[in-house]
Amino acid sequence: MWQCGDEISDTLSDCSARIRWVDRSPELDDALQDLSEELGCRLVVLDAGMRAVAWSIHESPEDRRRLAHLLTHSDSWERPRTSRTPQQVIEIPGVGPLLFTRLVDARRQIVGHLVLPSTGSPPPELGHATERLAALLQARQQNAAGRSARAHELTVDLVAGDAPVRARAAEALIAERFLSSSASYCAVALGVDPRTAAPSDHEKAGQAVARTLGFVRETSTATVVGGVLDNQVGVLIFPRPVVVPRLVRILADPQVTPVRAGVGTLMALEEAPRSFEQARLAWRASWLAPRDHGTVTTWDAAGLDAALARMPLESFTRADLPPVVRDLLGAVDSPDLIATLTAYLDAGGDARRTAGELGIHRSTLYYRLAKMRSVIAGDLADGAVRAELHTGLRMARLAGLLPG
């Protein structure tokens, strides 16, 4: 049940905020208001996706209730069957009967609908008005497409251009109101594991960028821009910290699986390329070691793996590893022994903690360590040897060179 009085105004304000992402068109708004005054009723224009993109002034409580309901629910309504007939009356729960009049382009393709309360026969004035409204709606859509392409171009320039190009892109993103002014910005890199991706998988980076942009626009008044680089890595720029769980939910959609993402740290907009480089390395770490990192991995959470990801690990062979690790892997092919040594190094050489984490008796741990000491050129008690083993084994894991 809808609330009355001031609460209706609050509800309507909240609804209007949710769809602030729509590029408003003064020409369309003015034409719709003129028609509303001519007909003496309140009007709304929906685009082809059933989203409200323009509406006349709604003054009475009843009108405002109807508009608030339409703003929040119209994209979930059944589409009007107006492909063969220009109009259809539909009874909308919580609203009442509404008249949907199709708006078509020059090719007779439906680009949206004009909506008004149904009171019987359609007003005769609709006939001459719908053609103009359709043209203005199409112009708005073309303008939105142009702005989207412009935002994509500037985003790519911001992270991939040379210094002068990056500076111009940063200035234009603010001046042209693609991004809100902020003290710091955060970059995100998205894409699939290039080692195993099918040709069609590379398109999913762009789909993931589009889905994220759409989600932000439809659920908030925030500004975010995105694009796709030539190497099929997607990029997003946020004027605030990224909410990782929310991005995880977006990437969980089957249509964009198996896209993964890396998140850089907050920096000034002119330093966005550095934030994106962090994001790209965190993203690489996430697919080099998918069992150790989530679908969305931040630069800080990636830790050493992000630093190691600067190397071409996917093309490494055993010969590229540090000598102590190369010799160890040449003599030991047991996954259990390697896992035991890794756990021991992770625990800083603490035998009790290592045995507890592995769920084995300490005597079993000592037996396994003794077997590996016999093939390691150096003393495991030596900090330098342990450091080289620890980092080298991590390189081997990221490169896929460990047994098993």
Short mmCIF file of all heavy atoms in Angstrom, two decimals, residues 64-112:
data_model
loop_
_atom_site.label_atom_id
_atom_site.label_comp_id
_atom_site.label_asym_id
_atom_site.label_seq_id
_atom_site.Cartn_x
_atom_site.Cartn_y
_atom_site.Cartn_z
N ARG A 64 1.30 11.28 -8.39
CA ARG A 64 2.64 11.02 -7.88
C ARG A 64 2.80 9.57 -7.44
O ARG A 64 3.86 8.98 -7.60
CB ARG A 64 2.97 11.99 -6.74
CG ARG A 64 3.09 13.43 -7.23
CD ARG A 64 3.27 14.40 -6.07
NE ARG A 64 4.58 14.28 -5.45
CZ ARG A 64 5.69 14.83 -5.93
NH1 ARG A 64 5.66 15.51 -7.06
NH2 ARG A 64 6.83 14.70 -5.29
N ARG A 65 1.73 8.99 -6.91
CA ARG A 65 1.77 7.57 -6.56
C ARG A 65 1.98 6.73 -7.81
O ARG A 65 2.76 5.78 -7.83
CB ARG A 65 0.49 7.15 -5.84
CG ARG A 65 0.45 7.47 -4.36
CD ARG A 65 -0.65 6.68 -3.66
NE ARG A 65 -1.97 7.00 -4.18
CZ ARG A 65 -2.75 7.95 -3.69
NH1 ARG A 65 -2.33 8.69 -2.68
NH2 ARG A 65 -3.93 8.18 -4.20
N ARG A 66 1.23 7.07 -8.87
CA ARG A 66 1.33 6.31 -10.11
C ARG A 66 2.74 6.43 -10.71
O ARG A 66 3.34 5.44 -11.14
CB ARG A 66 0.30 6.83 -11.12
CG ARG A 66 0.26 6.03 -12.43
CD ARG A 66 -0.66 6.66 -13.46
NE ARG A 66 -2.01 6.81 -12.98
CZ ARG A 66 -2.58 7.98 -12.70
NH1 ARG A 66 -1.90 9.11 -12.84
NH2 ARG A 66 -3.82 8.04 -12.26
N LEU A 67 3.28 7.64 -10.70
CA LEU A 67 4.62 7.85 -11.25
C LEU A 67 5.67 7.10 -10.43
O LEU A 67 6.57 6.45 -10.98
CB LEU A 67 4.95 9.34 -11.29
CG LEU A 67 6.37 9.70 -11.79
CD1 LEU A 67 6.58 9.19 -13.20
CD2 LEU A 67 6.60 11.20 -11.71
N ALA A 68 5.56 7.16 -9.10
CA ALA A 68 6.53 6.47 -8.25
C ALA A 68 6.51 4.97 -8.52
O ALA A 68 7.56 4.32 -8.62
CB ALA A 68 6.22 6.74 -6.78
N HIS A 69 5.32 4.40 -8.68
CA HIS A 69 5.20 2.97 -8.95
C HIS A 69 5.80 2.65 -10.33
O HIS A 69 6.51 1.63 -10.49
CB HIS A 69 3.73 2.56 -8.91
CG HIS A 69 3.53 1.07 -8.85
ND1 HIS A 69 3.63 0.35 -7.69
CD2 HIS A 69 3.26 0.17 -9.82
CE1 HIS A 69 3.42 -0.92 -7.94
NE2 HIS A 69 3.19 -1.05 -9.23
N LEU A 70 5.55 3.52 -11.29
CA LEU A 70 6.05 3.28 -12.64
C LEU A 70 7.58 3.36 -12.69
O LEU A 70 8.24 2.53 -13.32
CB LEU A 70 5.42 4.30 -13.59
CG LEU A 70 5.67 4.12 -15.09
CD1 LEU A 70 4.46 4.63 -15.87
CD2 LEU A 70 6.90 4.90 -15.53
N LEU A 71 8.15 4.34 -11.99
CA LEU A 71 9.60 4.50 -11.99
C LEU A 71 10.31 3.28 -11.41
O LEU A 71 11.41 2.93 -11.84
CB LEU A 71 10.00 5.75 -11.20
CG LEU A 71 9.60 7.10 -11.80
CD1 LEU A 71 10.02 8.23 -10.88
CD2 LEU A 71 10.20 7.29 -13.16
N THR A 72 9.70 2.65 -10.45
CA THR A 72 10.37 1.54 -9.78
C THR A 72 10.05 0.17 -10.37
O THR A 72 10.80 -0.78 -10.15
CB THR A 72 10.01 1.52 -8.28
OG1 THR A 72 8.59 1.52 -8.14
CG2 THR A 72 10.59 2.72 -7.57
N HIS A 73 8.95 0.06 -11.12
CA HIS A 73 8.51 -1.27 -11.54
C HIS A 73 8.31 -1.45 -13.04
O HIS A 73 8.13 -2.59 -13.49
CB HIS A 73 7.19 -1.64 -10.84
CG HIS A 73 7.29 -1.70 -9.35
ND1 HIS A 73 8.00 -2.67 -8.69
CD2 HIS A 73 6.77 -0.90 -8.39
CE1 HIS A 73 7.91 -2.49 -7.38
NE2 HIS A 73 7.18 -1.41 -7.17
N SER A 74 8.34 -0.40 -13.83
CA SER A 74 7.92 -0.54 -15.23
C SER A 74 8.78 -1.52 -16.01
O SER A 74 8.29 -2.21 -16.91
CB SER A 74 7.92 0.83 -15.93
OG SER A 74 9.23 1.36 -15.97
N ASP A 75 10.09 -1.59 -15.68
CA ASP A 75 10.94 -2.50 -16.47
C ASP A 75 10.69 -3.96 -16.15
O ASP A 75 11.24 -4.84 -16.82
CB ASP A 75 12.42 -2.16 -16.29
CG ASP A 75 12.87 -2.24 -14.84
OD1 ASP A 75 12.01 -2.44 -13.96
OD2 ASP A 75 14.08 -2.12 -14.59
N SER A 76 9.84 -4.25 -15.15
CA SER A 76 9.48 -5.63 -14.86
C SER A 76 8.09 -5.99 -15.39
O SER A 76 7.67 -7.14 -15.28
CB SER A 76 9.52 -5.88 -13.34
OG SER A 76 8.53 -5.10 -12.67
N TRP A 77 7.39 -5.03 -15.97
CA TRP A 77 6.06 -5.30 -16.51
C TRP A 77 6.15 -6.08 -17.82
O TRP A 77 7.17 -6.02 -18.53
CB TRP A 77 5.30 -3.99 -16.78
CG TRP A 77 4.99 -3.20 -15.55
CD1 TRP A 77 5.04 -3.61 -14.26
CD2 TRP A 77 4.58 -1.83 -15.51
NE1 TRP A 77 4.69 -2.62 -13.41
CE2 TRP A 77 4.39 -1.49 -14.14
CE3 TRP A 77 4.35 -0.86 -16.47
CZ2 TRP A 77 3.98 -0.22 -13.73
CZ3 TRP A 77 3.94 0.41 -16.07
CH2 TRP A 77 3.76 0.71 -14.72
N GLU A 78 5.07 -6.77 -18.13
CA GLU A 78 4.98 -7.43 -19.43
C GLU A 78 4.94 -6.37 -20.53
O GLU A 78 4.27 -5.35 -20.42
CB GLU A 78 3.71 -8.29 -19.49
CG GLU A 78 3.53 -9.02 -20.79
CD GLU A 78 2.24 -9.84 -20.81
OE1 GLU A 78 1.59 -9.92 -19.75
OE2 GLU A 78 1.90 -10.38 -21.88
N ARG A 79 5.69 -6.62 -21.59
CA ARG A 79 5.74 -5.64 -22.68
C ARG A 79 4.38 -5.55 -23.40
O ARG A 79 3.75 -6.58 -23.65
CB ARG A 79 6.82 -6.01 -23.69
CG ARG A 79 8.23 -5.92 -23.11
CD ARG A 79 9.26 -6.35 -24.13
NE ARG A 79 10.59 -6.30 -23.55
CZ ARG A 79 11.36 -5.22 -23.54
NH1 ARG A 79 10.93 -4.11 -24.10
NH2 ARG A 79 12.57 -5.25 -22.97
N PRO A 80 3.96 -4.35 -23.76
CA PRO A 80 2.69 -4.20 -24.50
C PRO A 80 2.78 -4.89 -25.85
O PRO A 80 3.83 -4.91 -26.50
CB PRO A 80 2.55 -2.68 -24.66
CG PRO A 80 3.45 -2.09 -23.63
CD PRO A 80 4.58 -3.05 -23.44
N ARG A 81 1.67 -5.45 -26.27
CA ARG A 81 1.62 -6.11 -27.58
C ARG A 81 1.17 -5.10 -28.63
O ARG A 81 0.02 -5.08 -29.08
CB ARG A 81 0.66 -7.29 -27.52
CG ARG A 81 1.11 -8.36 -26.50
CD ARG A 81 0.09 -9.47 -26.38
NE ARG A 81 0.52 -10.47 -25.40
CZ ARG A 81 -0.22 -11.52 -25.03
NH1 ARG A 81 -1.43 -11.71 -25.57
NH2 ARG A 81 0.24 -12.37 -24.13
N THR A 82 2.11 -4.25 -29.01
CA THR A 82 1.78 -3.16 -29.93
C THR A 82 2.49 -3.29 -31.27
O THR A 82 2.60 -2.31 -32.02
CB THR A 82 2.17 -1.80 -29.29
OG1 THR A 82 3.54 -1.88 -28.86
CG2 THR A 82 1.28 -1.50 -28.10
N SER A 83 2.98 -4.48 -31.57
CA SER A 83 3.65 -4.65 -32.86
C SER A 83 2.66 -4.59 -34.02
O SER A 83 3.01 -4.17 -35.13
CB SER A 83 4.41 -5.98 -32.89
OG SER A 83 3.52 -7.07 -32.65
N ARG A 84 1.41 -4.99 -33.78
CA ARG A 84 0.40 -4.99 -34.85
C ARG A 84 -0.66 -3.92 -34.66
O ARG A 84 -1.30 -3.50 -35.62
CB ARG A 84 -0.26 -6.36 -34.94
CG ARG A 84 0.70 -7.47 -35.35
CD ARG A 84 -0.03 -8.77 -35.56
NE ARG A 84 0.89 -9.84 -36.00
CZ ARG A 84 0.51 -11.08 -36.25
NH1 ARG A 84 -0.77 -11.43 -36.13
NH2 ARG A 84 1.41 -11.97 -36.64
N THR A 85 -0.86 -3.52 -33.43
CA THR A 85 -1.82 -2.46 -33.14
C THR A 85 -1.10 -1.35 -32.41
O THR A 85 -0.22 -1.62 -31.59
CB THR A 85 -2.99 -2.98 -32.28
OG1 THR A 85 -3.89 -1.90 -32.00
CG2 THR A 85 -2.49 -3.57 -30.97
N PRO A 86 -1.39 -0.10 -32.71
CA PRO A 86 -0.60 1.00 -32.14
C PRO A 86 -0.79 1.21 -30.64
O PRO A 86 0.06 1.83 -30.00
CB PRO A 86 -1.07 2.22 -32.92
CG PRO A 86 -2.42 1.86 -33.42
CD PRO A 86 -2.38 0.39 -33.67
N GLN A 87 -1.87 0.68 -30.07
CA GLN A 87 -2.15 0.95 -28.67
C GLN A 87 -2.67 -0.30 -27.96
O GLN A 87 -3.23 -1.20 -28.59
CB GLN A 87 -3.21 2.07 -28.54
CG GLN A 87 -2.72 3.41 -29.10
CD GLN A 87 -3.84 4.41 -29.21
OE1 GLN A 87 -5.00 4.04 -29.42
NE2 GLN A 87 -3.51 5.69 -29.08
N GLN A 88 -2.46 -0.32 -26.66
CA GLN A 88 -3.01 -1.40 -25.83
C GLN A 88 -3.24 -0.87 -24.42
O GLN A 88 -2.40 -0.14 -23.87
CB GLN A 88 -2.07 -2.60 -25.77
CG GLN A 88 -2.67 -3.77 -24.98
CD GLN A 88 -1.70 -4.93 -24.80
OE1 GLN A 88 -0.52 -4.82 -25.10
NE2 GLN A 88 -2.21 -6.05 -24.33
N VAL A 89 -4.36 -1.23 -23.86
CA VAL A 89 -4.66 -0.90 -22.46
C VAL A 89 -4.29 -2.11 -21.61
O VAL A 89 -4.72 -3.23 -21.89
CB VAL A 89 -6.14 -0.53 -22.27
CG1 VAL A 89 -6.44 -0.30 -20.78
CG2 VAL A 89 -6.48 0.72 -23.08
N ILE A 90 -3.51 -1.88 -20.56
CA ILE A 90 -3.09 -2.95 -19.65
C ILE A 90 -3.43 -2.55 -18.23
O ILE A 90 -3.14 -1.42 -17.80
CB ILE A 90 -1.58 -3.23 -19.77
CG1 ILE A 90 -1.20 -3.59 -21.21
CG2 ILE A 90 -1.15 -4.34 -18.82
CD1 ILE A 90 0.28 -3.82 -21.42
N GLU A 91 -4.04 -3.46 -17.51
CA GLU A 91 -4.34 -3.25 -16.09
C GLU A 91 -3.08 -3.57 -15.29
O GLU A 91 -2.62 -4.71 -15.26
CB GLU A 91 -5.50 -4.15 -15.65
CG GLU A 91 -5.90 -3.99 -14.20
CD GLU A 91 -6.70 -2.72 -13.94
OE1 GLU A 91 -7.36 -2.24 -14.89
OE2 GLU A 91 -6.66 -2.22 -12.80
N ILE A 92 -2.53 -2.55 -14.65
CA ILE A 92 -1.29 -2.72 -13.88
C ILE A 92 -1.64 -2.78 -12.40
O ILE A 92 -2.23 -1.84 -11.86
CB ILE A 92 -0.31 -1.55 -14.13
CG1 ILE A 92 0.02 -1.44 -15.63
CG2 ILE A 92 0.96 -1.74 -13.31
CD1 ILE A 92 0.74 -2.64 -16.19
N PRO A 93 -1.30 -3.88 -11.72
CA PRO A 93 -1.59 -3.98 -10.29
C PRO A 93 -0.98 -2.81 -9.51
O PRO A 93 0.18 -2.47 -9.71
CB PRO A 93 -0.95 -5.31 -9.89
CG PRO A 93 -0.90 -6.10 -11.14
CD PRO A 93 -0.67 -5.11 -12.24
N GLY A 94 -1.78 -2.22 -8.65
CA GLY A 94 -1.31 -1.10 -7.85
C GLY A 94 -1.36 0.23 -8.56
O GLY A 94 -1.08 1.27 -7.95
N VAL A 95 -1.71 0.23 -9.85
CA VAL A 95 -1.74 1.46 -10.62
C VAL A 95 -3.10 1.67 -11.28
O VAL A 95 -3.66 2.75 -11.25
CB VAL A 95 -0.64 1.47 -11.71
CG1 VAL A 95 -0.76 2.71 -12.59
CG2 VAL A 95 0.74 1.40 -11.07
N GLY A 96 -3.64 0.60 -11.88
CA GLY A 96 -4.88 0.71 -12.62
C GLY A 96 -4.64 0.56 -14.11
O GLY A 96 -3.53 0.24 -14.55
N PRO A 97 -5.65 0.83 -14.93
CA PRO A 97 -5.50 0.68 -16.38
C PRO A 97 -4.64 1.79 -16.97
O PRO A 97 -4.87 2.98 -16.70
CB PRO A 97 -6.93 0.75 -16.90
CG PRO A 97 -7.67 1.54 -15.86
CD PRO A 97 -7.03 1.23 -14.55
N LEU A 98 -3.66 1.40 -17.77
CA LEU A 98 -2.81 2.37 -18.45
C LEU A 98 -2.89 2.13 -19.95
O LEU A 98 -2.96 0.99 -20.41
CB LEU A 98 -1.35 2.23 -18.00
CG LEU A 98 -1.03 2.54 -16.54
CD1 LEU A 98 0.46 2.34 -16.26
CD2 LEU A 98 -1.44 3.96 -16.18
N LEU A 99 -2.85 3.21 -20.71
CA LEU A 99 -2.84 3.14 -22.16
C LEU A 99 -1.40 3.25 -22.65
O LEU A 99 -0.71 4.25 -22.37
CB LEU A 99 -3.68 4.27 -22.76
CG LEU A 99 -3.65 4.38 -24.30
CD1 LEU A 99 -4.28 3.15 -24.95
CD2 LEU A 99 -4.34 5.66 -24.76
N PHE A 100 -0.94 2.23 -23.37
CA PHE A 100 0.39 2.23 -23.95
C PHE A 100 0.26 2.51 -25.45
O PHE A 100 -0.42 1.76 -26.17
CB PHE A 100 1.08 0.88 -23.74
CG PHE A 100 1.44 0.59 -22.30
CD1 PHE A 100 0.48 0.15 -21.40
CD2 PHE A 100 2.74 0.77 -21.86
CE1 PHE A 100 0.81 -0.11 -20.08
CE2 PHE A 100 3.09 0.51 -20.54
CZ PHE A 100 2.12 0.06 -19.65
N THR A 101 0.91 3.56 -25.92
CA THR A 101 0.92 3.90 -27.33
C THR A 101 2.35 3.77 -27.85
O THR A 101 3.27 4.36 -27.29
CB THR A 101 0.44 5.34 -27.56
OG1 THR A 101 -0.91 5.47 -27.08
CG2 THR A 101 0.47 5.70 -29.05
N ARG A 102 2.52 2.96 -28.88
CA ARG A 102 3.88 2.71 -29.37
C ARG A 102 4.48 3.94 -30.02
O ARG A 102 3.77 4.77 -30.60
CB ARG A 102 3.87 1.55 -30.37
CG ARG A 102 3.23 1.89 -31.70
CD ARG A 102 3.12 0.67 -32.60
NE ARG A 102 2.55 1.01 -33.90
CZ ARG A 102 2.09 0.12 -34.77
NH1 ARG A 102 2.15 -1.18 -34.48
NH2 ARG A 102 1.60 0.51 -35.94
N LEU A 103 5.79 4.06 -29.88
CA LEU A 103 6.57 5.09 -30.57
C LEU A 103 7.51 4.37 -31.52
O LEU A 103 8.28 3.50 -31.09
CB LEU A 103 7.37 5.93 -29.56
CG LEU A 103 6.54 6.63 -28.46
CD1 LEU A 103 7.46 7.31 -27.47
CD2 LEU A 103 5.56 7.62 -29.07
N VAL A 104 7.45 4.70 -32.80
CA VAL A 104 8.22 3.96 -33.81
C VAL A 104 9.14 4.91 -34.57
O VAL A 104 8.84 6.10 -34.72
CB VAL A 104 7.30 3.20 -34.79
CG1 VAL A 104 6.49 2.16 -34.06
CG2 VAL A 104 6.39 4.18 -35.53
N ASP A 105 10.26 4.35 -35.05
CA ASP A 105 11.19 5.15 -35.84
C ASP A 105 10.80 5.11 -37.31
O ASP A 105 9.73 4.58 -37.68
CB ASP A 105 12.64 4.68 -35.63
CG ASP A 105 12.84 3.22 -36.05
OD1 ASP A 105 11.98 2.68 -36.79
OD2 ASP A 105 13.86 2.63 -35.65
N ALA A 106 11.66 5.65 -38.17
CA ALA A 106 11.35 5.73 -39.60
C ALA A 106 11.21 4.37 -40.24
O ALA A 106 10.54 4.21 -41.26
CB ALA A 106 12.43 6.55 -40.32
N ARG A 107 11.82 3.34 -39.64
CA ARG A 107 11.72 1.98 -40.17
C ARG A 107 10.57 1.20 -39.54
O ARG A 107 10.46 0.00 -39.72
CB ARG A 107 13.04 1.24 -39.95
CG ARG A 107 14.24 1.87 -40.66
CD ARG A 107 15.52 1.14 -40.32
NE ARG A 107 15.77 1.20 -38.87
CZ ARG A 107 16.73 0.50 -38.26
NH1 ARG A 107 17.50 -0.32 -38.97
NH2 ARG A 107 16.91 0.62 -36.96
N ARG A 108 9.76 1.90 -38.77
CA ARG A 108 8.60 1.31 -38.09
C ARG A 108 9.02 0.34 -37.00
O ARG A 108 8.28 -0.57 -36.63
CB ARG A 108 7.65 0.61 -39.09
CG ARG A 108 7.23 1.45 -40.28
CD ARG A 108 6.61 2.76 -39.86
NE ARG A 108 5.35 2.57 -39.13
CZ ARG A 108 4.70 3.55 -38.52
NH1 ARG A 108 5.20 4.77 -38.49
NH2 ARG A 108 3.57 3.31 -37.87
N GLN A 109 10.22 0.53 -36.45
CA GLN A 109 10.67 -0.26 -35.32
C GLN A 109 10.27 0.45 -34.03
O GLN A 109 10.41 1.67 -33.90
CB GLN A 109 12.19 -0.43 -35.35
CG GLN A 109 12.71 -1.15 -36.59
CD GLN A 109 12.25 -2.59 -36.63
OE1 GLN A 109 12.30 -3.32 -35.64
NE2 GLN A 109 11.78 -3.02 -37.79
N ILE A 110 9.77 -0.31 -33.06
CA ILE A 110 9.32 0.28 -31.79
C ILE A 110 10.53 0.73 -30.98
O ILE A 110 11.43 -0.07 -30.69
CB ILE A 110 8.48 -0.73 -30.99
CG1 ILE A 110 7.19 -1.05 -31.76
CG2 ILE A 110 8.14 -0.16 -29.61
CD1 ILE A 110 6.32 -2.11 -31.09
N VAL A 111 10.58 2.02 -30.64
CA VAL A 111 11.67 2.56 -29.83
C VAL A 111 11.23 2.88 -28.42
O VAL A 111 12.06 3.22 -27.56
CB VAL A 111 12.27 3.82 -30.49
CG1 VAL A 111 12.90 3.47 -31.83
CG2 VAL A 111 11.20 4.91 -30.67
N GLY A 112 9.93 2.78 -28.14
CA GLY A 112 9.44 3.06 -26.80
C GLY A 112 7.93 3.15 -26.79
O GLY A 112 7.25 2.80 -27.78
#
